[in-house]
Amino acid sequence: MQKLDFAEAIDLIVERSPRYDREAYFFLRDALDYTVKVRKKARDASGSGHVSGQQLLEGVRQYAIKQFGPMVVTVLEYWGIKRCEDFGAMVYNLINIGVFGKTDTDSQEDFKGGYNFKEAFVDPYQPERLEMPRRGKMEKSAVEKLN
């Protein structure tokens, strides 16, 4: 069987299971490339080119923030991605069609509960909450200034 190029493979996956938008797969591939580059720069101790599910999730998080900023959740939800397990499903769609590879220790379970999207993608853009002094403390310090 002739090996499909990436775009053809994605077309086939989306045709069989349109759960995730076609663009989401291209984003995932780019996020994997980003993760591999970051690991090479960091001179990862394993020396392997293989990326685990947890490493990929962290790379996806960083890359998504770089690409989409505060719009990350909106873009991901538009593509049908609402939690880390969705990335796992996409990865395994790519594995099953022969585009991505895996080791014997890899599992779709590796993507379960990776991170909460609100904490990973929304909270970094929330303004810091400033604590206002309590009225009693402010009045007391004003009184001290008068004395």
Side-chain angles (χ1 to χ4, degrees), residues 44-71:
D44 190 68
S46 72
S48 162
H50 180 72
V51 174
S52 72
Q54 291 299 310
Q55 290 168 330
L56 179 56
L57 285 176
E58 179 56 22
V60 163
R61 187 189 68 76
Q62 292 175 14
Y63 186 69
I65 288 171
K66 281 183 162 214
Q67 292 299 304
F68 306 115
M71 295 296 296

Side-chain angles (χ1 to χ4, degrees), residues 1 4 15 37 48-49 53 64 69 72 75 85 99 111 116-117 126:
M1 184 169 129
L4 299 171
E15 182 181 306
K37 286 178 189 170
S48 162
V72 173
V75 172
E85 289 85 344
V99 175
F111 294 88
N116 173 289
F117 274 28
Q126 297 301 311

Side-chain angles (χ1 to χ4, degrees), residues 131-145:
E131 284 195 35
M132 298 299 292
R134 292 188 178 179
R135 186 172 181 182
K137 289 183 180 180
M138 195 162 44
E139 287 175 2
K140 184 178 179 182
S141 63
V143 169
E144 287 174 356
K145 286 180 182 178

Side-chain angles (χ1 to χ4, degrees), residues 75-147:
V75 172
L76 294 179
E77 285 182 355
Y78 179 79
W79 288 340
I81 302 168
K82 294 179 174 58
R83 55 197 181 126
C84 290
E85 289 85 344
D86 291 322
F87 288 116
M90 292 170 60
V91 165
Y92 273 80
N93 286 343
L94 291 162
I95 289 170
N96 292 335
I97 206 163
V99 175
F100 283 5
K102 74 178 201 76
T103 67
D104 292 339
T105 59
D106 290 330
S107 163
Q108 197 165 343
E109 298 295 310
D110 296 341
F111 294 88
K112 260 195 173 161
Y115 43 75
N116 173 289
F117 274 28
K118 181 185 177 302
E119 291 171 4
F121 300 126
V122 176
D123 289 354
Y125 295 99
Q126 297 301 311
E128 286 187 35
R129 298 191 91 200
L130 298 176
E131 284 195 35
M132 298 299 292
R134 292 188 178 179
R135 186 172 181 182
K137 289 183 180 180
M138 195 162 44
E139 287 175 2
K140 184 178 179 182
S141 63
V143 169
E144 287 174 356
K145 286 180 182 178
L146 292 174
N147 290 332

Side-chain angles (χ1 to χ4, degrees), residues 13-15 19 28 36 40 42-43 69 95 98 108 118 136 141:
I13 290 170
V14 172
E15 182 181 306
R19 181 175 177 189
L28 183 60
V36 169
K40 276 185 183 176
R43 301 283 184 219
I95 289 170
Q108 197 165 343
K118 181 185 177 302
S141 63

Side-chain angles (χ1 to χ4, degrees), residues 20-52:
Y20 305 110
D21 191 271
R22 186 175 191 275
E23 289 302 312
Y25 287 96
F26 286 92
F27 166 80
L28 183 60
R29 181 193 59 186
D30 292 345
L32 174 61
D33 291 345
Y34 170 84
T35 304
V36 169
K37 286 178 189 170
V38 167
R39 288 185 64 224
K40 276 185 183 176
K41 277 186 184 177
R43 301 283 184 219
D44 190 68
S46 72
S48 162
H50 180 72
V51 174
S52 72

